[in-house]
Coordinates of all heavy atoms in Angstrom, one line a residue:
I19 N 67.3 36.6 232.1 CA 66.9 36.1 233.5 C 67.9 36.8 234.5 O 69.1 36.7 234.3 CB 67.0 34.6 233.6 CG1 66.0 34.0 232.7 CG2 66.8 34.2 235.1 CD1 66.0 32.4 232.7
K20 N 67.4 37.4 235.5 CA 68.2 37.9 236.6 C 68.7 36.8 237.5 O 68.0 35.8 237.7 CB 67.4 38.9 237.4 CG 66.8 40.1 236.6 CD 66.0 41.0 237.4 CE 64.7 40.4 237.9 NZ 63.6 40.3 236.9
P21 N 69.9 36.9 238.0 CA 70.4 35.9 238.9 C 69.6 35.8 240.2 O 69.2 36.8 240.8 CB 71.8 36.4 239.3 CG 72.2 37.3 238.2 CD 70.9 38.0 237.7
L22 N 69.2 34.6 240.6 CA 68.4 34.4 241.7 C 69.1 34.9 243.0 O 68.4 35.6 243.8 CB 68.1 32.9 241.9 CG 67.3 32.5 243.1 CD1 65.9 33.1 243.0 CD2 67.1 30.9 243.1
A23 N 70.4 34.7 243.1 CA 71.1 35.3 244.3 C 71.0 36.8 244.4 O 70.8 37.3 245.5 CB 72.5 34.8 244.3
L24 N 71.0 37.5 243.3 CA 70.9 38.9 243.3 C 69.5 39.3 243.8 O 69.4 40.3 244.6 CB 71.1 39.5 241.9 CG 70.8 41.0 241.7 CD1 71.8 41.8 242.5 CD2 71.0 41.3 240.2
M25 N 68.5 38.7 243.3 CA 67.1 39.1 243.7 C 66.9 38.8 245.2 O 66.2 39.6 245.9 CB 66.1 38.3 242.8 CG 66.2 38.7 241.3 SD 66.3 40.5 241.0 CE 64.8 41.1 241.8
K26 N 67.4 37.7 245.7 CA 67.3 37.4 247.1 C 68.0 38.5 247.9 O 67.5 38.9 248.9 CB 67.9 36.0 247.4 CG 67.0 34.9 246.9 CD 67.7 33.5 247.0 CE 67.5 33.0 248.4 NZ 67.9 31.5 248.4
K27 N 69.2 38.9 247.5 CA 69.9 40.0 248.2 C 69.2 41.3 248.1 O 69.0 41.9 249.2 CB 71.3 40.1 247.5 CG 72.2 41.2 248.1 CD 72.7 40.7 249.5 CE 73.7 41.8 250.0 NZ 74.1 41.4 251.3
L28 N 68.6 41.6 247.0 CA 67.8 42.9 246.9 C 66.6 42.8 247.8 O 66.3 43.8 248.5 CB 67.4 43.1 245.5 CG 68.6 43.5 244.5 CD1 68.1 43.6 243.1 CD2 69.2 44.9 245.0
I29 N 65.9 41.7 247.8 CA 64.7 41.6 248.7 C 65.1 41.7 250.1 O 64.5 42.5 250.9 CB 64.0 40.3 248.4 CG1 63.3 40.3 247.1 CG2 63.0 40.0 249.5 CD1 62.7 38.9 246.6
T30 N 66.2 41.1 250.6 CA 66.6 41.2 252.0 C 67.0 42.6 252.3 O 66.9 43.0 253.5 CB 67.7 40.1 252.3 OG1 68.8 40.3 251.5 CG2 67.2 38.7 252.2
M31 N 67.6 43.3 251.4 CA 68.0 44.7 251.6 C 66.8 45.7 251.7 O 66.9 46.7 252.4 CB 69.0 45.1 250.5 CG 70.3 44.5 250.6 SD 71.4 44.9 249.2 CE 71.2 46.7 249.0
M32 N 65.8 45.4 250.9 CA 64.7 46.4 250.8 C 63.4 46.1 251.5 O 62.6 47.0 251.6 CB 64.4 46.5 249.3 CG 65.6 46.9 248.4 SD 66.4 48.4 248.9 CE 65.3 49.6 248.0
V33 N 63.3 44.9 252.0 CA 62.0 44.5 252.5 C 62.2 43.9 253.9 O 63.1 43.1 254.1 CB 61.3 43.4 251.7 CG1 60.0 42.9 252.3 CG2 61.1 43.9 250.3
P34 N 61.4 44.4 254.9 CA 61.5 43.7 256.2 C 60.9 42.3 256.2 O 59.7 42.2 255.9 CB 60.7 44.7 257.1 CG 59.7 45.4 256.2 CD 60.4 45.4 254.9
L35 N 61.7 41.3 256.3 CA 61.2 40.0 256.2 C 60.5 39.5 257.4 O 61.1 39.3 258.5 CB 62.4 39.0 255.9 CG 63.2 39.3 254.6 CD1 64.3 38.3 254.4 CD2 62.3 39.3 253.4
N36 N 59.2 39.3 257.2 CA 58.3 38.8 258.3 C 57.1 38.2 257.6 O 57.0 38.2 256.4 CB 57.9 39.8 259.3 CG 57.2 41.0 258.7 OD1 56.3 40.8 257.9 ND2 57.7 42.2 259.0
K37 N 56.2 37.6 258.3 CA 55.1 36.9 257.7 C 54.1 37.8 257.0 O 53.3 37.4 256.3 CB 54.4 36.1 258.8 CG 55.2 35.0 259.4 CD 54.4 34.1 260.3 CE 55.3 33.1 260.9 NZ 55.0 31.7 260.6
K38 N 54.2 39.1 257.3 CA 53.4 40.1 256.6 C 54.0 40.7 255.3 O 53.3 41.4 254.6 CB 53.0 41.2 257.6 CG 52.2 40.8 258.8 CD 51.9 42.0 259.6 CE 51.1 41.5 260.8 NZ 50.7 42.6 261.7
S39 N 55.2 40.3 255.0 CA 55.9 40.8 253.8 C 55.2 40.3 252.6 O 55.0 39.1 252.5 CB 57.4 40.5 253.8 OG 58.0 41.1 254.9
I40 N 55.0 41.1 251.6 CA 54.4 40.7 250.3 C 55.3 41.4 249.2 O 55.5 42.6 249.2 CB 53.0 41.1 250.1 CG1 52.1 40.5 251.2 CG2 52.5 40.7 248.7 CD1 50.7 41.1 251.2
I41 N 55.8 40.5 248.3 CA 56.6 41.0 247.2 C 55.8 41.1 246.0 O 55.1 40.2 245.6 CB 57.8 40.1 246.9 CG1 58.6 39.8 248.2 CG2 58.7 40.6 245.8 CD1 59.2 41.1 248.8
L42 N 55.7 42.3 245.4 CA 54.9 42.5 244.1 C 55.9 42.7 243.0 O 56.8 43.6 243.0 CB 54.1 43.8 244.3 CG 53.3 44.2 243.0 CD1 52.4 43.2 242.5 CD2 52.7 45.5 243.2
D43 N 55.7 41.9 241.9 CA 56.5 42.1 240.7 C 55.6 42.3 239.6 O 55.0 41.4 239.0 CB 57.4 40.8 240.5 CG 58.3 41.0 239.3 OD1 58.3 42.0 238.7 OD2 59.1 40.0 239.1
P44 N 55.4 43.6 239.2 CA 54.4 43.9 238.1 C 54.8 43.4 236.7 O 54.0 43.5 235.8 CB 54.3 45.4 238.2 CG 55.5 45.8 238.8 CD 56.0 44.7 239.7
F45 N 56.1 43.1 236.5 CA 56.6 42.6 235.3 C 57.4 41.3 235.5 O 58.6 41.3 235.5 CB 57.5 43.6 234.6 CG 56.9 45.0 234.5 CD1 57.1 46.0 235.4 CD2 56.0 45.2 233.5 CE1 56.5 47.2 235.3 CE2 55.3 46.5 233.4 CZ 55.6 47.5 234.3
A46 N 56.7 40.2 235.8 CA 57.2 39.0 236.4 C 58.2 38.3 235.5 O 59.1 37.6 236.0 CB 56.1 38.1 236.8
G47 N 58.0 38.4 234.2 CA 59.0 37.7 233.3 C 59.0 36.2 233.5 O 58.0 35.6 233.5
S48 N 60.2 35.7 233.8 CA 60.4 34.3 234.0 C 60.2 33.9 235.5 O 60.4 32.8 235.9 CB 61.8 33.8 233.5 OG 62.8 34.4 234.3
G49 N 59.9 34.9 236.4 CA 59.6 34.6 237.8 C 60.7 34.6 238.8 O 60.6 34.1 239.9
T50 N 61.9 35.1 238.4 CA 63.0 35.1 239.3 C 62.7 35.8 240.6 O 63.1 35.3 241.7 CB 64.3 35.7 238.7 OG1 64.5 35.0 237.4 CG2 65.5 35.5 239.6
T51 N 62.1 36.9 240.6 CA 61.8 37.7 241.8 C 60.8 36.9 242.7 O 61.0 36.8 243.9 CB 61.3 39.1 241.5 OG1 62.2 39.8 240.7 CG2 61.0 39.9 242.8
L52 N 59.9 36.3 242.0 CA 58.9 35.5 242.8 C 59.5 34.3 243.4 O 59.2 33.9 244.6 CB 57.7 35.1 241.8 CG 57.0 36.2 241.1 CD1 56.0 35.6 240.1 CD2 56.4 37.2 242.0
L53 N 60.4 33.6 242.7 CA 61.1 32.5 243.2 C 62.0 32.9 244.4 O 62.0 32.2 245.4 CB 61.9 31.8 242.1 CG 62.7 30.6 242.5 CD1 61.8 29.5 243.0 CD2 63.5 30.0 241.3
A54 N 62.6 34.0 244.3 CA 63.4 34.5 245.4 C 62.6 34.8 246.7 O 62.9 34.4 247.8 CB 64.2 35.8 245.0
A55 N 61.4 35.4 246.4 CA 60.5 35.7 247.5 C 60.0 34.4 248.2 O 60.0 34.3 249.4 CB 59.3 36.5 247.0
K56 N 59.7 33.4 247.4 CA 59.2 32.1 247.9 C 60.3 31.5 248.8 O 60.0 31.0 249.9 CB 58.8 31.2 246.8 CG 58.3 29.9 247.2 CD 57.9 29.0 246.1 CE 57.4 27.6 246.6 NZ 57.0 26.8 245.5
Q57 N 61.5 31.5 248.3 CA 62.6 30.9 249.0 C 62.9 31.6 250.3 O 63.4 31.0 251.3 CB 63.9 30.8 248.1 CG 63.7 29.7 247.0 CD 65.0 29.6 246.2 OE1 66.0 30.2 246.4 NE2 64.9 28.7 245.2
L58 N 62.6 32.9 250.3 CA 62.8 33.7 251.6 C 61.6 33.6 252.5 O 61.7 34.2 253.6 CB 63.2 35.1 251.2 CG 64.5 35.4 250.5 CD1 64.6 36.8 250.0 CD2 65.6 35.1 251.5
G59 N 60.6 33.0 252.1 CA 59.4 32.8 253.0 C 58.4 34.0 252.9 O 57.6 34.1 253.8
C60 N 58.5 34.8 251.9 CA 57.6 35.9 251.7 C 56.4 35.5 250.9 O 56.5 34.7 250.0 CB 58.3 37.1 251.1 SG 59.7 37.8 252.0
A61 N 55.3 36.2 251.1 CA 54.2 36.1 250.1 C 54.6 36.8 248.9 O 55.4 37.8 248.9 CB 52.9 36.6 250.7
Y62 N 54.1 36.5 247.7 CA 54.4 37.1 246.5 C 53.3 37.2 245.5 O 52.4 36.4 245.6 CB 55.6 36.4 245.8 CG 55.4 34.9 245.7 CD1 54.8 34.4 244.6 CD2 55.8 34.1 246.7 CE1 54.6 33.1 244.4 CE2 55.6 32.7 246.6 CZ 55.0 32.2 245.4 OH 54.9 30.9 245.3
L63 N 53.3 38.2 244.7 CA 52.3 38.4 243.6 C 53.0 38.9 242.4 O 53.8 39.9 242.4 CB 51.3 39.4 244.1 CG 50.2 39.8 243.1 CD1 49.4 38.6 242.7 CD2 49.4 40.9 243.6
G64 N 52.8 38.1 241.3 CA 53.5 38.5 240.0 C 52.4 38.8 239.0 O 51.4 38.2 239.0
I65 N 52.7 39.8 238.2 CA 51.8 40.1 237.1 C 52.6 40.0 235.8 O 53.7 40.5 235.7 CB 51.3 41.6 237.2 CG1 50.6 41.7 238.5 CG2 50.4 42.0 236.0 CD1 50.3 43.2 238.9
E66 N 52.1 39.3 234.8 CA 52.7 39.1 233.5 C 51.7 39.0 232.4 O 50.7 38.2 232.6 CB 53.6 37.8 233.6 CG 54.4 37.6 232.3 CD 55.2 38.7 231.8 OE1 56.0 39.2 232.6 OE2 55.0 39.2 230.7
I67 N 51.9 39.7 231.4 CA 50.9 39.8 230.3 C 51.1 38.6 229.3 O 50.1 38.2 228.6 CB 50.9 41.2 229.6 CG1 49.7 41.4 228.7 CG2 52.2 41.3 228.8 CD1 49.5 42.8 228.2
E68 N 52.3 38.1 229.2 CA 52.6 37.1 228.2 C 52.3 35.7 228.7 O 52.8 35.3 229.7 CB 54.1 37.2 227.8 CG 54.5 38.4 227.1 CD 53.9 38.6 225.8 OE1 53.6 37.7 225.1 OE2 53.7 39.8 225.4
K69 N 51.4 35.0 228.0 CA 51.0 33.7 228.5 C 52.1 32.7 228.5 O 52.2 31.8 229.4 CB 49.9 33.1 227.5 CG 48.5 33.6 227.9 CD 48.1 32.9 229.2 CE 46.6 32.8 229.3 NZ 46.2 32.5 230.6
E70 N 53.1 32.8 227.6 CA 54.2 31.8 227.6 C 55.0 32.0 228.9 O 55.6 31.0 229.3 CB 55.1 32.0 226.4 CG 55.8 33.4 226.3 CD 56.5 33.6 225.0 OE1 55.8 33.7 224.0 OE2 57.7 33.7 225.0
Y71 N 55.2 33.2 229.4 CA 55.9 33.3 230.6 C 55.2 32.8 231.8 O 55.8 32.3 232.8 CB 56.2 34.8 230.9 CG 57.3 35.3 230.0 CD1 57.1 36.4 229.1 CD2 58.6 34.8 230.0 CE1 58.0 36.9 228.3 CE2 59.6 35.3 229.1 CZ 59.3 36.3 228.3 OH 60.3 36.8 227.4
E72 N 53.9 32.8 231.8 CA 53.1 32.2 232.9 C 53.4 30.8 233.1 O 53.6 30.3 234.3 CB 51.6 32.4 232.6 CG 50.7 31.8 233.7 CD 49.2 31.8 233.3 OE1 48.9 32.4 232.2 OE2 48.4 31.4 234.1
K73 N 53.6 30.0 232.0 CA 53.9 28.6 232.2 C 55.3 28.4 232.8 O 55.6 27.5 233.6 CB 53.9 27.9 230.8 CG 52.5 27.9 230.2 CD 52.5 27.3 228.8 CE 51.1 27.4 228.2 NZ 51.1 27.1 226.8
I74 N 56.3 29.3 232.4 CA 57.6 29.2 232.9 C 57.6 29.5 234.4 O 58.2 28.8 235.2 CB 58.5 30.2 232.1 CG1 58.7 29.8 230.7 CG2 59.9 30.3 232.8 CD1 59.3 30.8 229.8
I75 N 56.9 30.6 234.8 CA 56.8 31.0 236.2 C 56.2 29.8 237.0 O 56.8 29.5 238.1 CB 56.0 32.2 236.3 CG1 56.6 33.4 235.7 CG2 55.7 32.5 237.8 CD1 55.8 34.6 235.5
L76 N 55.1 29.3 236.6 CA 54.5 28.2 237.4 C 55.4 27.0 237.5 O 55.5 26.4 238.6 CB 53.2 27.8 236.7 CG 52.1 28.9 236.8 CD1 50.8 28.4 236.0 CD2 51.7 29.2 238.2
R77 N 56.1 26.6 236.4 CA 57.0 25.5 236.5 C 58.2 25.8 237.5 O 58.5 24.9 238.3 CB 57.6 25.2 235.1 CG 58.4 24.0 235.0 CD 58.8 23.6 233.6 NE 59.5 24.7 232.9 CZ 59.0 25.2 231.8 NH1 57.9 24.8 231.2 NH2 59.6 26.2 231.2
R78 N 58.7 27.0 237.4 CA 59.8 27.3 238.3 C 59.4 27.3 239.8 O 60.1 26.8 240.7 CB 60.4 28.7 238.0 CG 61.1 28.7 236.7 CD 61.8 30.0 236.4 NE 63.0 30.2 237.2 CZ 63.6 31.3 237.3 NH1 63.2 32.4 236.7 NH2 64.7 31.4 238.1
L79 N 58.2 27.9 240.1 CA 57.7 27.9 241.4 C 57.3 26.5 242.0 O 57.5 26.3 243.2 CB 56.5 28.9 241.5 CG 56.8 30.3 241.3 CD1 55.5 31.2 241.3 CD2 57.7 30.9 242.4
Q80 N 56.9 25.6 241.1 CA 56.5 24.3 241.6 C 57.7 23.4 241.8 O 57.7 22.5 242.7 CB 55.6 23.6 240.5 CG 54.2 24.2 240.5 CD 53.4 23.7 239.3 OE1 53.9 23.0 238.4 NE2 52.1 24.2 239.3
N81 N 58.8 23.7 241.1 CA 60.0 22.9 241.3 C 60.9 23.3 242.5 O 61.8 22.5 242.8 CB 60.9 23.0 240.0 CG 60.2 22.2 238.9 OD1 59.5 21.3 239.1 ND2 60.5 22.7 237.6
K82 N 60.7 24.4 243.1 CA 61.5 24.9 244.2 C 60.8 24.8 245.5 O 59.7 25.2 245.6 CB 62.1 26.3 243.9 CG 62.8 26.4 242.6 CD 64.2 25.6 242.7 CE 64.9 25.7 241.4 NZ 66.1 25.2 241.3

């Protein structure tokens, strides 16, 4: 798992944060990038092939 603080920092460095910003994570894994995007107020889209990770991602996004 990548540190959440790191992903938030990378997003703020690379993406102009506004209501039109969309973060795409084509290898979502456990959803750290998606969670960072959510906490920063960005729209997000994650793609993950492993069903077990989907449950982890959904749980993390619902809890924050």
Side-chain angles (χ1 to χ4, degrees):
I19 297 176
K20 300 177 291 284
L22 181 59
L24 172 63
M25 296 315 299
K26 288 172 84 170
K27 181 70 174 177
L28 289 173
I29 289 171
T30 57
M31 288 173 47
M32 305 300 278
V33 177
L35 298 179
N36 57 52
K37 294 186 185 240
K38 294 182 180 180
S39 298
I40 302 173
I41 306 301
L42 171 64
D43 187 357
F45 306 100
S48 65
T50 304
T51 303
L52 305 178
L53 183 56
K56 181 179 181 179
Q57 290 183 0
L58 291 170
C60 297
Y62 51 88
L63 175 62
I65 301 168
E66 181 54 56
I67 195 168
E68 297 294 331
K69 274 292 204 194
E70 64 187 66
Y71 286 120
E72 179 184 358
K73 294 174 188 174
I74 295 169
I75 293 167
L76 292 174
R77 185 173 54 242
R78 290 183 78 191
L79 290 173
Q80 290 170 353
N81 289 334
K82 303 290 177 176

